[in-house]
Amino acid sequence: MRIILLGPPGAGKGTQAAGIVEKYNIPHISTGDIFRKNIKEGTDLGKKAKEYMDQGLLVPDELTVGLVTDRITQKDCEKGFMLDGFPRNVSQAEQLDTFLKEANIELTNVINIEVDKSILVSRAVGRRICKSCGATYHIEFNAPQNEGICNVCQGELYQRADDNEETVSKRIQVYLDETKPLADYYTKKGIISNINGEQSIDNVFKDIVAALGSEK
Ligand code: ADP
Ligand code: ADP
Ligand code: ZN
């Protein structure tokens, strides 16, 4: 199974990714997570990426595409993989296609999680993430049992620097301009499933599993 998760910021990609990789036992490749790890570790890539992320802009393709194609080349991706947050524009999608073609690999599914713009800001602004294990919560829609503490590992929860109202609004605009056209791109390839992301987390998951179901 080789899956792309598509959807605007706050759609629920990370939340659903956790369930999908567990169920299908494939690696979860999140470009946002990779950039945040590099920022935390103070690498050159992290320093460069941060300038764009803080503004809600896309990190340039030159810093992004190689990162993903290198990752896909690793051994654990032989059994399949799930891309979350990549590709983010048509150029990235085309470069991914070129790479996959040369490697003789085909994508099996694109899961497009659709959520109206009006809901996205409150989703992202209320998001909290575990410092230790990366689990995602929402202060209102998916609250942890104890405020500020992870249910899974008791780790401390934090808020992403770019999850403020201004940057989230910018990211939603960038999504509409640059990423949304990918839905057409993958519809033409016949591998997209559109999922209603405005349902409960469990029901969104059920719809995703139904869409992936018949695949190996
Ligand atoms: P993305 O990775 O697409 O940006 P996340 O999975 O991080 O989105 O979800 C954004 C926020 O919305 C998180 O706080 C998450 O707990 C919450 N969330 C995710 N799915 C739902 C849902 N179906 N209903 C309500 N809140 C949700
Ligand atoms: P969200 O799903 O909430 O938008 P992500 O964690 O996927 O958050 O991305 C956070 C930020 O990381 C983006 O706003 C962007 O600056 C950068 N980023 C992540 N993936 C990509 C990508 N494929 N291309 C360019 N920039 C990216
Ligand atoms: Zn945790």
Side-chain angles (χ1 to χ4, degrees):
M1 212 173 249
R2 289 171 295 274
I3 310 168
I4 289 177
L5 265 187
L6 208 60
K13 299 183 296 297
T15 302
Q16 298 300 333
I20 297 167
V21 297
E22 193 189 7
K23 184 170 172 73
Y24 296 100
N25 192 29
I26 49 177
H28 175 199
I29 305 173
S30 158
T31 39
D33 286 351
I34 295 172
F35 288 136
R36 281 185 289 277
K37 183 165 180 275
N38 275 273
I39 291 174
K40 201 173 154 196
E41 291 169 355
T43 67
D44 274 354
L45 173 65
K47 282 175 194 145
K48 286 183 197 151
K50 188 175 188 304
E51 282 177 40
Y52 298 90
M53 290 168 77
D54 283 348
Q55 297 178 67
L57 300 172
L58 294 186
V59 176
D61 295 350
E62 306 82 76
L63 299 176
T64 308
V65 178
L67 209 69
V68 176
T69 53
D70 281 355
R71 182 67 188 83
I72 292 175
T73 314
Q74 286 172 27
K75 185 95 184 140
D76 62 335
C77 289
E78 277 175 10
K79 61 185 173 191
F81 53 80
M82 190 181 58
L83 301 179
D84 165 8
F86 181 94
R88 220 49 168 232
N89 59 33
V90 171
S91 167
Q92 290 182 5
E94 288 172 348
Q95 292 182 63
L96 176 66
D97 276 348
T98 305
F99 166 82
L100 292 175
K101 203 172 170 197
E102 275 172 21
N104 225 345
I105 302 173
E106 268 190 62
L107 295 170
T108 55
N109 305 81
V110 175
I111 298 293
N112 183 33
I113 306 180
E114 299 180 299
V115 173
D116 191 77
K117 202 178 149 182
S118 59
I119 306 179
L120 294 172
V121 176
S122 58
R123 286 252 189 119
V125 170
R127 169 163 48 196
R128 297 292 183 273
I129 300 164
C130 175
K131 267 185 185 165
S132 309
C133 77
T136 302
Y137 299 88
H138 190 282
I139 50 170
E140 204 180 321
F141 310 139
N142 184 22
Q145 273 150 20
N146 300 304
E147 198 186 320
I149 296 170
C150 178
N151 293 347
V152 184
C153 76
Q154 315 301 313
E156 193 187 329
L157 304 187
Y158 77 100
Q159 183 174 27
R160 271 169 48 179
D162 58 350
D163 277 345
N164 59 76
E165 198 160 335
E166 193 193 340
T167 313
V168 172
S169 303
K170 178 69 194 171
R171 281 155 53 206
I172 293 168
Q173 195 53 51
V174 168
Y175 165 82
L176 294 171
D177 294 340
E178 301 194 46
T179 312
K180 201 157 185 267
L182 289 180
D184 275 345
Y185 182 91
Y186 288 114
T187 301
K188 286 189 187 118
K189 290 186 184 289
I191 53 170
I192 202 166
S193 305
N194 295 312
I195 305 289
N196 173 8
E198 295 182 16
Q199 316 170 79
S200 69
I201 292 175
D202 287 351
N203 284 337
V204 174
F205 187 66
K206 280 185 194 139
D207 283 0
I208 293 176
V209 171
L212 295 175
S214 59
E215 300 290 335
K216 285 190 203 104

